[in-house]
Amino acid sequence: MKKLFTLFVLLTCFLGANAKEIVDAEVDFSKMPDGDASTITFYGWGASAQAKERLSIKNGCLHFESTEVTKDDDGNEVGWLCQFHPIGGVSAEVDVTYTLHFKIKGDHTENVSMLGFGQTPYGQFPITDQWVEGTVDYKCTPDANGNINGDILMQCGSYVGSWDIAYLKITHEGKEEKPIEWIPVKELVNGDAESAWPDWALKEEGGINANWRGDRTKEICAWALTMGRNFDDQVPDEIGEPSDRSRPFPADIEVDPTDASNHVFAAHVTQIDKINDDASIAWSNQFWIQAPKAFKNGVDVKVKFRYRADAAATVPSQIHRIYPSKYLNSSAIGSLNFTTEWQNFEGTVTWPADGWSIAFNLTDQNREPNVYYFDDISFEEVKIEEGFFVASANTVSGIEYDFNTATEFVYDADEDAYVATVGTKGKEDTWVNEIMISTVRGYDKYFKGATIKPTNTNIMGNDPDDWKDYAPGSSYKIPLAAGVWQIFIAPDPEKEGTGQILFMQLEGEAPAEPVDIVTNTTEIVIEGLEREDLKDNKDGNTGAITVREDPDDPAGAEVGGPGHEGQTWDNQFFLVANRVLNPDEQTVIEFDYVATDAFNCPSGTHAQPGDYRKNAIPDVEFTTEEKHLTVDYTVPASDWGGTAITDAQSIAFDLAVLKGANTYTIKNVKWYVKGDINAEGKTMENLIKETGTTNFFVKEGAGGETHQYDGGTGIKSAVNKNKTNSTAIYNLSGQRVSKDYKGIVIKNGNKYIAK
């Protein structure tokens, strides 16, 4: 099979003679019955309504047919409104390259957008009018919690015509591991619904059953929420949201309508909650299968159950936290197609950090009264060792990680800590310069998925009091000076996955020493131009300046109205670091600043200047008197949609918040890595150079060129201009939605009720 193209240039590791192609997921559409979208197995959150209208199984293929570009409620063409997961459920790993194999044919040549494994930016399916068998390579991108969505997303709303997919398959190259051994989760209680719930679980106060708030997970495996029942308007948002609706309760246990000798869990849907009598709320009626414990992050869990309903319905699933109704993410078991007959479900979930239950949004697509039944719930988990384990490598001498032989930490009562040593004293060929510490051992993937990371990576290794906090960090590698190291771990008994860690070097190379914090004394003077009355490009709301807002402009119906006075980023100043910054890396920024007119200046995290990612530091208050700024800046780990940020390198200051022309002066700039350095004026790394202007970029005027500050030399180095703000809106499932979406939405990291 010829590889037609790849999305990214990827460096692959040498896998050795035992490397083989491992099949992670595959779907053969010829095995599905012909019919509309209800006959299709979707993954993740499933498919949008616009996608289901256009999809079917036809002649043994996944068939798409559309006569126009998908549109929002205002008639605007919005291609991504038609999106769906055709294949997924992969238990993926960071740093592994996955290959999507496909066979596809369209009625004309046109690319279709697709996204895989949390990746950005979008790639393309190259659809032609001939059958094409090809492949696309993906490399996983985790979210802020280290979780990976192992699904492929297609966005095909801009394709007018038809296409067919015969099959899809996802593979990766790797070493063949031992077969996974599954063991039952013995703590599950009453999964067959044959016992009544304990008295405490049914107790009500003031008509409210609030027992779901407590840590009762080992005794209740099924919860329900039905609109109009168990109403509680006093529950704070940090437990469930929104705070003014019905609350979960232990699912009703009833006689099975199809078998009088059997009992089942039931959720009765009689009404649907609405916002402003408009959009139905998908989660106003829900059912939860509750795990009896928090499984290890990244470990696969097998869930089994039976299900049916009084009427056919399609129900998507999510993962929730310990409190039912507290959403975590949309990567669960996909959508269930309920029928009036009992069906068996068996599926595998890669368990995310902080996940406790699988939620089913019963009124996501179903608007009629119905009764949903579940029975014979069970969980199985992978048989692994739990504790603390360390694997080591030396990237210089060639020592490679072997997770199966990772050293186990042993509890030392005298130290009141778990202790392990890597490397052997007196044998330089055993020295290590990188380690990974995990809370599980048994399979490579699970080891890497359950690693921990110090929250401060300034590891000197010569101070017995230099304990550092640690937290979960998927596939996290800890760099060290080459040598023999002894590591001490003291877990926090109150919060699983956290605690303190100490590194002591027994022999080896000297660790890096702190350096002086440098000050770049360049005086940057930015002549900010007045924001002109310009009109934004309506196409995709990109903010690109296209039309001067003059009275004779036929498109300017609202001359001088809101949104027609330029943008806050028309004038900007950028600090650009010497390197790409690490997620959650802690830094310090300092500079002197003054302006001819006072105003508050917002900032944003960018990749390269103009390539916006997320907010940066609190507003900087410019005044007409010179001031000094010292502020901590922690690199954001994820963007507004929850995708991990791996390319942050600059900070933008939006100077055009003030509409009028203004002059800004910034000088004596410092930007350095924050650490537990005792010596004042020291850091482990400066993020800007002491001289020159390579770390300073500016933009002066709407549509102007973003360029390196010339410092009076007249030499300007330009960068590509990209979108500098985020207009994307997401629902609570993490799906991007249109600006007219009704309900609770996330925009720029904040939640709003869109009316």
Side-chain angles (χ1 to χ4, degrees), residues 171-228:
T171 66
H172 74 276
E173 294 291 323
K175 294 183 296 184
E176 187 171 13
E177 289 198 68
K178 61 183 179 181
I180 292 178
E181 183 178 353
W182 296 95
I183 56 175
V185 178
K186 297 179 181 179
E187 295 90 341
L188 187 70
V189 177
N190 200 27
D192 59 3
E194 291 305 318
S195 300
W197 296 126
D199 291 341
W200 67 262
L202 303 178
K203 183 180 179 181
E204 294 184 356
E205 294 183 7
I208 300 170
N209 179 306
N211 294 305
W212 61 280
R213 302 187 200 180
D215 185 6
R216 307 282 192 168
T217 52
K218 289 189 177 181
E219 297 177 73
I220 306 297
C221 63
W223 299 87
L225 180 153
T226 57
M227 184 59 191

Short mmCIF file of all heavy atoms in Angstrom, two decimals, residues 171-228:
data_model
loop_
_atom_site.label_atom_id
_atom_site.label_comp_id
_atom_site.label_asym_id
_atom_site.label_seq_id
_atom_site.Cartn_x
_atom_site.Cartn_y
_atom_site.Cartn_z
N THR A 171 -3.34 1.93 13.20
CA THR A 171 -2.26 1.05 13.64
C THR A 171 -1.11 1.89 14.17
O THR A 171 -1.05 3.10 13.98
CB THR A 171 -1.74 0.19 12.47
OG1 THR A 171 -1.12 1.05 11.49
CG2 THR A 171 -2.85 -0.60 11.83
N HIS A 172 -0.18 1.21 14.82
CA HIS A 172 1.09 1.85 15.17
C HIS A 172 2.18 0.77 15.19
O HIS A 172 1.90 -0.42 15.31
CB HIS A 172 1.02 2.58 16.51
CG HIS A 172 1.00 1.68 17.72
ND1 HIS A 172 -0.14 1.09 18.21
CD2 HIS A 172 2.01 1.26 18.54
CE1 HIS A 172 0.14 0.37 19.27
NE2 HIS A 172 1.44 0.44 19.50
N GLU A 173 3.41 1.21 15.04
CA GLU A 173 4.56 0.31 15.10
C GLU A 173 5.05 0.24 16.54
O GLU A 173 5.26 1.27 17.19
CB GLU A 173 5.69 0.81 14.20
CG GLU A 173 5.36 0.78 12.71
CD GLU A 173 5.25 -0.64 12.18
OE1 GLU A 173 6.04 -1.50 12.63
OE2 GLU A 173 4.38 -0.90 11.33
N GLY A 174 5.23 -0.95 17.05
CA GLY A 174 5.69 -1.06 18.43
C GLY A 174 6.14 -2.47 18.75
O GLY A 174 6.05 -3.38 17.94
N LYS A 175 6.64 -2.61 19.96
CA LYS A 175 7.03 -3.94 20.43
C LYS A 175 5.79 -4.67 20.93
O LYS A 175 4.93 -4.10 21.58
CB LYS A 175 8.06 -3.81 21.56
CG LYS A 175 9.38 -3.21 21.14
CD LYS A 175 10.38 -3.19 22.28
CE LYS A 175 9.93 -2.30 23.41
NZ LYS A 175 10.93 -2.19 24.48
N GLU A 176 5.73 -5.93 20.63
CA GLU A 176 4.60 -6.72 21.08
C GLU A 176 4.73 -6.96 22.58
O GLU A 176 5.72 -7.50 23.06
CB GLU A 176 4.55 -8.05 20.33
CG GLU A 176 3.29 -8.84 20.63
CD GLU A 176 3.14 -10.04 19.72
OE1 GLU A 176 4.14 -10.39 19.04
OE2 GLU A 176 2.06 -10.63 19.69
N GLU A 177 3.71 -6.52 23.31
CA GLU A 177 3.72 -6.70 24.76
C GLU A 177 2.95 -7.96 25.13
O GLU A 177 2.22 -8.53 24.31
CB GLU A 177 3.10 -5.48 25.45
CG GLU A 177 3.97 -4.24 25.38
CD GLU A 177 3.56 -3.21 26.41
OE1 GLU A 177 3.75 -3.48 27.62
OE2 GLU A 177 3.06 -2.16 26.02
N LYS A 178 3.09 -8.36 26.35
CA LYS A 178 2.36 -9.52 26.82
C LYS A 178 0.86 -9.23 26.79
O LYS A 178 0.43 -8.07 26.91
CB LYS A 178 2.79 -9.87 28.24
CG LYS A 178 2.52 -8.76 29.26
CD LYS A 178 3.05 -9.13 30.63
CE LYS A 178 2.80 -8.02 31.65
NZ LYS A 178 3.32 -8.34 32.98
N PRO A 179 0.04 -10.25 26.60
CA PRO A 179 -1.41 -10.04 26.56
C PRO A 179 -1.90 -9.43 27.87
O PRO A 179 -1.40 -9.75 28.95
CB PRO A 179 -1.96 -11.46 26.37
CG PRO A 179 -0.83 -12.24 25.78
CD PRO A 179 0.42 -11.65 26.36
N ILE A 180 -2.86 -8.53 27.75
CA ILE A 180 -3.41 -7.90 28.95
C ILE A 180 -4.21 -8.91 29.76
O ILE A 180 -5.04 -9.65 29.22
CB ILE A 180 -4.29 -6.70 28.57
CG1 ILE A 180 -3.43 -5.58 27.98
CG2 ILE A 180 -5.07 -6.19 29.78
CD1 ILE A 180 -4.22 -4.38 27.53
N GLU A 181 -3.96 -8.94 31.04
CA GLU A 181 -4.71 -9.81 31.96
C GLU A 181 -5.74 -8.97 32.69
O GLU A 181 -5.40 -8.01 33.37
CB GLU A 181 -3.76 -10.48 32.96
CG GLU A 181 -4.46 -11.45 33.89
CD GLU A 181 -3.51 -12.14 34.85
OE1 GLU A 181 -2.27 -11.96 34.70
OE2 GLU A 181 -3.99 -12.84 35.76
N TRP A 182 -7.01 -9.34 32.53
CA TRP A 182 -8.10 -8.59 33.15
C TRP A 182 -8.56 -9.29 34.43
O TRP A 182 -8.63 -10.51 34.49
CB TRP A 182 -9.29 -8.50 32.20
CG TRP A 182 -9.01 -7.73 30.95
CD1 TRP A 182 -8.63 -8.23 29.74
CD2 TRP A 182 -9.09 -6.32 30.79
NE1 TRP A 182 -8.46 -7.22 28.83
CE2 TRP A 182 -8.74 -6.03 29.44
CE3 TRP A 182 -9.42 -5.26 31.62
CZ2 TRP A 182 -8.71 -4.74 28.93
CZ3 TRP A 182 -9.40 -3.96 31.12
CH2 TRP A 182 -9.05 -3.71 29.80
N ILE A 183 -8.87 -8.49 35.44
CA ILE A 183 -9.39 -9.03 36.69
C ILE A 183 -10.63 -8.24 37.09
O ILE A 183 -10.72 -7.03 36.84
CB ILE A 183 -8.34 -8.97 37.82
CG1 ILE A 183 -7.83 -7.54 38.03
CG2 ILE A 183 -7.18 -9.92 37.53
CD1 ILE A 183 -6.88 -7.40 39.20
N PRO A 184 -11.63 -8.89 37.70
CA PRO A 184 -12.85 -8.17 38.11
C PRO A 184 -12.55 -7.14 39.18
O PRO A 184 -11.64 -7.31 40.01
CB PRO A 184 -13.75 -9.29 38.66
CG PRO A 184 -13.17 -10.55 38.13
CD PRO A 184 -11.70 -10.33 37.99
N VAL A 185 -13.31 -6.06 39.16
CA VAL A 185 -13.24 -5.07 40.24
C VAL A 185 -14.19 -5.54 41.34
O VAL A 185 -15.41 -5.41 41.23
CB VAL A 185 -13.63 -3.66 39.73
CG1 VAL A 185 -13.59 -2.66 40.87
CG2 VAL A 185 -12.69 -3.24 38.62
N LYS A 186 -13.63 -6.11 42.36
CA LYS A 186 -14.44 -6.80 43.37
C LYS A 186 -15.27 -5.85 44.23
O LYS A 186 -16.25 -6.26 44.84
CB LYS A 186 -13.52 -7.65 44.26
CG LYS A 186 -12.79 -8.75 43.49
CD LYS A 186 -11.87 -9.55 44.40
CE LYS A 186 -11.14 -10.63 43.63
NZ LYS A 186 -10.21 -11.41 44.48
N GLU A 187 -14.88 -4.57 44.28
CA GLU A 187 -15.59 -3.64 45.16
C GLU A 187 -16.97 -3.25 44.65
O GLU A 187 -17.75 -2.63 45.36
CB GLU A 187 -14.76 -2.36 45.36
CG GLU A 187 -13.44 -2.57 46.08
CD GLU A 187 -12.30 -2.87 45.12
OE1 GLU A 187 -12.60 -3.27 43.96
OE2 GLU A 187 -11.14 -2.71 45.50
N LEU A 188 -17.29 -3.59 43.38
CA LEU A 188 -18.59 -3.20 42.85
C LEU A 188 -19.70 -3.91 43.62
O LEU A 188 -19.67 -5.13 43.81
CB LEU A 188 -18.69 -3.56 41.36
CG LEU A 188 -19.94 -3.06 40.65
CD1 LEU A 188 -19.90 -1.55 40.51
CD2 LEU A 188 -20.09 -3.71 39.29
N VAL A 189 -20.70 -3.15 44.06
CA VAL A 189 -21.79 -3.68 44.86
C VAL A 189 -23.11 -3.51 44.11
O VAL A 189 -23.40 -2.44 43.57
CB VAL A 189 -21.87 -2.94 46.22
CG1 VAL A 189 -23.06 -3.45 47.04
CG2 VAL A 189 -20.57 -3.13 46.99
N ASN A 190 -23.89 -4.56 44.05
CA ASN A 190 -25.26 -4.52 43.51
C ASN A 190 -25.31 -4.17 42.03
O ASN A 190 -26.24 -3.50 41.57
CB ASN A 190 -26.11 -3.51 44.31
CG ASN A 190 -27.60 -3.78 44.14
OD1 ASN A 190 -28.01 -4.91 43.89
ND2 ASN A 190 -28.40 -2.74 44.27
N GLY A 191 -24.33 -4.63 41.27
CA GLY A 191 -24.34 -4.35 39.84
C GLY A 191 -25.47 -5.02 39.09
O GLY A 191 -25.82 -4.61 37.98
N ASP A 192 -26.09 -6.06 39.71
CA ASP A 192 -27.20 -6.75 39.04
C ASP A 192 -28.56 -6.21 39.47
O ASP A 192 -29.60 -6.74 39.06
CB ASP A 192 -27.13 -8.25 39.30
CG ASP A 192 -27.19 -8.59 40.79
OD1 ASP A 192 -27.36 -7.67 41.63
OD2 ASP A 192 -27.06 -9.79 41.12
N ALA A 193 -28.58 -5.18 40.33
CA ALA A 193 -29.82 -4.52 40.77
C ALA A 193 -30.74 -5.44 41.57
O ALA A 193 -31.93 -5.14 41.73
CB ALA A 193 -30.58 -3.94 39.58
N GLU A 194 -30.23 -6.54 42.08
CA GLU A 194 -31.08 -7.49 42.80
C GLU A 194 -31.21 -7.19 44.29
O GLU A 194 -31.97 -7.86 44.99
CB GLU A 194 -30.56 -8.91 42.59
CG GLU A 194 -30.74 -9.43 41.17
CD GLU A 194 -32.18 -9.35 40.70
OE1 GLU A 194 -33.10 -9.69 41.49
OE2 GLU A 194 -32.41 -8.92 39.55
N SER A 195 -30.50 -6.19 44.77
CA SER A 195 -30.63 -5.79 46.17
C SER A 195 -31.11 -4.35 46.24
O SER A 195 -30.83 -3.54 45.35
CB SER A 195 -29.28 -5.90 46.89
OG SER A 195 -28.79 -7.22 46.87
N ALA A 196 -31.84 -4.03 47.30
CA ALA A 196 -32.28 -2.65 47.50
C ALA A 196 -31.08 -1.80 47.92
O ALA A 196 -30.12 -2.30 48.51
CB ALA A 196 -33.37 -2.61 48.56
N TRP A 197 -31.14 -0.52 47.58
CA TRP A 197 -30.08 0.37 48.05
C TRP A 197 -30.12 0.47 49.57
O TRP A 197 -31.19 0.33 50.18
CB TRP A 197 -30.25 1.77 47.46
CG TRP A 197 -30.13 1.88 45.97
CD1 TRP A 197 -31.04 2.44 45.12
CD2 TRP A 197 -29.05 1.45 45.14
NE1 TRP A 197 -30.60 2.39 43.81
CE2 TRP A 197 -29.36 1.77 43.81
CE3 TRP A 197 -27.84 0.81 45.39
CZ2 TRP A 197 -28.52 1.49 42.73
CZ3 TRP A 197 -26.99 0.53 44.32
CH2 TRP A 197 -27.32 0.87 43.02
N PRO A 198 -28.98 0.73 50.21
CA PRO A 198 -28.99 0.89 51.67
C PRO A 198 -29.83 2.10 52.09
O PRO A 198 -30.06 3.02 51.30
CB PRO A 198 -27.50 1.10 52.00
CG PRO A 198 -26.87 1.53 50.72
CD PRO A 198 -27.63 0.88 49.64
N ASP A 199 -30.28 2.09 53.34
CA ASP A 199 -31.18 3.14 53.82
C ASP A 199 -30.59 4.53 53.67
O ASP A 199 -31.30 5.48 53.31
CB ASP A 199 -31.54 2.88 55.29
CG ASP A 199 -32.43 1.65 55.45
OD1 ASP A 199 -33.04 1.23 54.45
OD2 ASP A 199 -32.48 1.11 56.57
N TRP A 200 -29.29 4.68 53.95
CA TRP A 200 -28.69 6.02 53.87
C TRP A 200 -28.79 6.60 52.46
O TRP A 200 -28.91 7.81 52.28
CB TRP A 200 -27.22 5.99 54.30
CG TRP A 200 -26.31 5.22 53.38
CD1 TRP A 200 -25.88 3.95 53.54
CD2 TRP A 200 -25.74 5.68 52.15
NE1 TRP A 200 -25.08 3.57 52.50
CE2 TRP A 200 -24.97 4.62 51.63
CE3 TRP A 200 -25.79 6.87 51.43
CZ2 TRP A 200 -24.27 4.71 50.42
CZ3 TRP A 200 -25.10 6.97 50.24
CH2 TRP A 200 -24.34 5.90 49.74
N ALA A 201 -28.74 5.73 51.43
CA ALA A 201 -28.73 6.20 50.05
C ALA A 201 -30.08 6.77 49.64
O ALA A 201 -30.16 7.58 48.72
CB ALA A 201 -28.35 5.05 49.13
N LEU A 202 -31.15 6.34 50.30
CA LEU A 202 -32.49 6.79 49.93
C LEU A 202 -33.02 7.90 50.84
O LEU A 202 -34.11 8.42 50.62
CB LEU A 202 -33.46 5.60 49.97
CG LEU A 202 -33.06 4.41 49.07
CD1 LEU A 202 -34.06 3.27 49.23
CD2 LEU A 202 -32.96 4.84 47.62
N LYS A 203 -32.25 8.25 51.84
CA LYS A 203 -32.70 9.25 52.80
C LYS A 203 -32.81 10.61 52.15
O LYS A 203 -31.94 11.03 51.39
CB LYS A 203 -31.72 9.31 53.98
CG LYS A 203 -32.14 10.28 55.07
CD LYS A 203 -31.13 10.27 56.22
CE LYS A 203 -31.53 11.25 57.31
NZ LYS A 203 -30.53 11.27 58.41
N GLU A 204 -33.90 11.32 52.45
CA GLU A 204 -34.13 12.65 51.91
C GLU A 204 -34.30 13.65 53.04
O GLU A 204 -34.78 13.32 54.12
CB GLU A 204 -35.37 12.68 51.01
CG GLU A 204 -35.24 11.85 49.75
CD GLU A 204 -36.45 11.98 48.86
OE1 GLU A 204 -37.42 12.65 49.27
OE2 GLU A 204 -36.43 11.42 47.75
N GLU A 205 -33.90 14.88 52.78
CA GLU A 205 -34.12 15.99 53.70
C GLU A 205 -34.75 17.13 52.91
O GLU A 205 -34.15 17.62 51.96
CB GLU A 205 -32.80 16.44 54.34
CG GLU A 205 -32.18 15.39 55.25
CD GLU A 205 -30.91 15.89 55.91
OE1 GLU A 205 -30.61 17.10 55.75
OE2 GLU A 205 -30.22 15.10 56.57
N GLY A 206 -35.95 17.51 53.31
CA GLY A 206 -36.64 18.56 52.59
C GLY A 206 -36.96 18.18 51.16
O GLY A 206 -36.99 19.03 50.27
N GLY A 207 -37.18 16.89 50.94
CA GLY A 207 -37.51 16.43 49.59
C GLY A 207 -36.31 16.27 48.68
O GLY A 207 -36.46 15.98 47.50
N ILE A 208 -35.11 16.42 49.22
CA ILE A 208 -33.90 16.35 48.40
C ILE A 208 -33.04 15.18 48.85
O ILE A 208 -32.75 15.02 50.03
CB ILE A 208 -33.08 17.66 48.51
CG1 ILE A 208 -33.91 18.84 48.03
CG2 ILE A 208 -31.78 17.56 47.71
CD1 ILE A 208 -33.27 20.18 48.34
N ASN A 209 -32.64 14.36 47.92
CA ASN A 209 -31.67 13.31 48.18
C ASN A 209 -30.31 13.84 47.75
O ASN A 209 -30.04 13.98 46.56
CB ASN A 209 -32.02 12.05 47.38
CG ASN A 209 -31.01 10.92 47.61
OD1 ASN A 209 -29.82 11.11 47.44
ND2 ASN A 209 -31.51 9.76 47.99
N ALA A 210 -29.47 14.15 48.71
CA ALA A 210 -28.17 14.75 48.41
C ALA A 210 -27.01 13.81 48.69
O ALA A 210 -25.87 14.24 48.83
CB ALA A 210 -27.99 16.05 49.20
N ASN A 211 -27.28 12.51 48.76
CA ASN A 211 -26.22 11.57 49.11
C ASN A 211 -25.18 11.41 48.03
O ASN A 211 -24.11 10.85 48.27
CB ASN A 211 -26.86 10.20 49.43
CG ASN A 211 -27.72 10.27 50.69
OD1 ASN A 211 -27.25 10.67 51.73
ND2 ASN A 211 -28.99 9.91 50.56
N TRP A 212 -25.47 11.86 46.83
CA TRP A 212 -24.48 11.79 45.75
C TRP A 212 -23.29 12.71 46.03
O TRP A 212 -22.24 12.56 45.41
CB TRP A 212 -25.13 12.19 44.43
CG TRP A 212 -25.67 13.59 44.42
CD1 TRP A 212 -26.85 14.00 44.95
CD2 TRP A 212 -25.04 14.74 43.88
NE1 TRP A 212 -27.00 15.35 44.77
CE2 TRP A 212 -25.90 15.83 44.11
CE3 TRP A 212 -23.83 14.97 43.22
CZ2 TRP A 212 -25.60 17.12 43.71
CZ3 TRP A 212 -23.54 16.26 42.82
CH2 TRP A 212 -24.42 17.31 43.06
N ARG A 213 -23.44 13.66 46.95
CA ARG A 213 -22.33 14.57 47.26
C ARG A 213 -21.23 13.85 48.04
O ARG A 213 -20.08 14.26 48.01
CB ARG A 213 -22.82 15.75 48.09
CG ARG A 213 -23.91 16.56 47.44
CD ARG A 213 -24.20 17.79 48.27
NE ARG A 213 -25.50 18.35 47.98
CZ ARG A 213 -25.99 19.42 48.57
NH1 ARG A 213 -25.27 20.04 49.49
NH2 ARG A 213 -27.18 19.89 48.27
N GLY A 214 -21.58 12.79 48.76
CA GLY A 214 -20.59 12.12 49.59
C GLY A 214 -19.80 11.08 48.83
O GLY A 214 -20.09 10.72 47.70
N ASP A 215 -18.75 10.57 49.47
CA ASP A 215 -17.89 9.55 48.85
C ASP A 215 -18.48 8.18 49.16
O ASP A 215 -17.99 7.45 50.01
CB ASP A 215 -16.46 9.68 49.38
CG ASP A 215 -15.53 8.73 48.67
OD1 ASP A 215 -15.97 8.07 47.72
OD2 ASP A 215 -14.36 8.64 49.07
N ARG A 216 -19.55 7.82 48.46
CA ARG A 216 -20.26 6.57 48.72
C ARG A 216 -20.13 5.62 47.53
O ARG A 216 -20.97 4.76 47.31
CB ARG A 216 -21.74 6.86 48.95
CG ARG A 216 -22.01 7.90 50.03
CD ARG A 216 -21.88 7.32 51.43
NE ARG A 216 -22.40 8.24 52.44
CZ ARG A 216 -22.63 7.91 53.69
NH1 ARG A 216 -22.38 6.68 54.09
NH2 ARG A 216 -23.09 8.79 54.55
N THR A 217 -19.10 5.78 46.74
CA THR A 217 -19.03 5.12 45.44
C THR A 217 -18.96 3.60 45.53
O THR A 217 -19.30 2.92 44.57
CB THR A 217 -17.82 5.64 44.67
OG1 THR A 217 -16.66 5.52 45.51
CG2 THR A 217 -18.01 7.07 44.28
N LYS A 218 -18.50 3.04 46.62
CA LYS A 218 -18.38 1.59 46.69
C LYS A 218 -19.73 0.90 46.87
O LYS A 218 -19.85 -0.29 46.70
CB LYS A 218 -17.44 1.19 47.83
CG LYS A 218 -15.97 1.53 47.54
CD LYS A 218 -15.05 0.95 48.58
CE LYS A 218 -13.59 1.22 48.23
NZ LYS A 218 -12.65 0.65 49.20
N GLU A 219 -20.76 1.66 47.21
CA GLU A 219 -22.05 1.05 47.48
C GLU A 219 -23.11 1.39 46.44
O GLU A 219 -24.10 0.69 46.32
CB GLU A 219 -22.55 1.48 48.87
CG GLU A 219 -21.64 1.00 49.99
CD GLU A 219 -22.11 1.50 51.35
OE1 GLU A 219 -23.12 0.98 51.84
OE2 GLU A 219 -21.46 2.40 51.89
N ILE A 220 -22.92 2.47 45.69
CA ILE A 220 -23.91 2.87 44.67
C ILE A 220 -23.22 2.84 43.31
O ILE A 220 -22.29 3.60 43.06
CB ILE A 220 -24.47 4.28 44.94
CG1 ILE A 220 -25.03 4.37 46.37
CG2 ILE A 220 -25.56 4.61 43.92
CD1 ILE A 220 -26.19 3.43 46.64
N CYS A 221 -23.70 1.98 42.41
CA CYS A 221 -23.07 1.86 41.10
C CYS A 221 -23.92 2.47 40.00
O CYS A 221 -23.51 2.48 38.83
CB CYS A 221 -22.79 0.39 40.77
SG CYS A 221 -24.28 -0.63 40.67
N ALA A 222 -25.12 2.96 40.34
CA ALA A 222 -26.00 3.53 39.32
C ALA A 222 -26.74 4.73 39.90
O ALA A 222 -27.39 4.63 40.94
CB ALA A 222 -27.00 2.48 38.83
N TRP A 223 -26.63 5.86 39.21
CA TRP A 223 -27.29 7.10 39.61
C TRP A 223 -28.15 7.59 38.46
O TRP A 223 -27.90 7.26 37.29
CB TRP A 223 -26.28 8.18 39.98
CG TRP A 223 -25.38 7.82 41.12
CD1 TRP A 223 -24.21 7.14 41.08
CD2 TRP A 223 -25.59 8.16 42.49
NE1 TRP A 223 -23.67 7.00 42.33
CE2 TRP A 223 -24.50 7.63 43.23
CE3 TRP A 223 -26.58 8.84 43.19
CZ2 TRP A 223 -24.38 7.78 44.60
CZ3 TRP A 223 -26.46 8.99 44.57
CH2 TRP A 223 -25.37 8.45 45.26
N ALA A 224 -29.14 8.39 38.78
CA ALA A 224 -30.01 8.95 37.74
C ALA A 224 -30.34 10.39 38.07
O ALA A 224 -30.25 10.83 39.22
CB ALA A 224 -31.29 8.13 37.61
N LEU A 225 -30.70 11.13 37.04
CA LEU A 225 -31.20 12.49 37.19
C LEU A 225 -32.35 12.63 36.20
O LEU A 225 -32.19 12.36 35.01
CB LEU A 225 -30.11 13.51 36.87
CG LEU A 225 -30.47 15.00 36.98
CD1 LEU A 225 -29.22 15.80 37.29
CD2 LEU A 225 -31.10 15.54 35.70
N THR A 226 -33.52 12.99 36.72
CA THR A 226 -34.66 13.21 35.84
C THR A 226 -35.28 14.55 36.18
O THR A 226 -35.47 14.88 37.35
CB THR A 226 -35.71 12.09 35.98
OG1 THR A 226 -36.12 11.97 37.34
CG2 THR A 226 -35.14 10.77 35.50
N MET A 227 -35.57 15.31 35.14
CA MET A 227 -36.09 16.65 35.32
C MET A 227 -37.40 16.64 36.10
O MET A 227 -38.26 15.80 35.87
CB MET A 227 -36.31 17.28 33.93
CG MET A 227 -36.78 18.72 33.98
SD MET A 227 -35.60 19.76 34.84
CE MET A 227 -36.57 21.25 35.02
N GLY A 228 -37.51 17.57 37.04
CA GLY A 228 -38.72 17.69 37.85
C GLY A 228 -38.70 16.87 39.11
O GLY A 228 -39.67 16.87 39.87
#
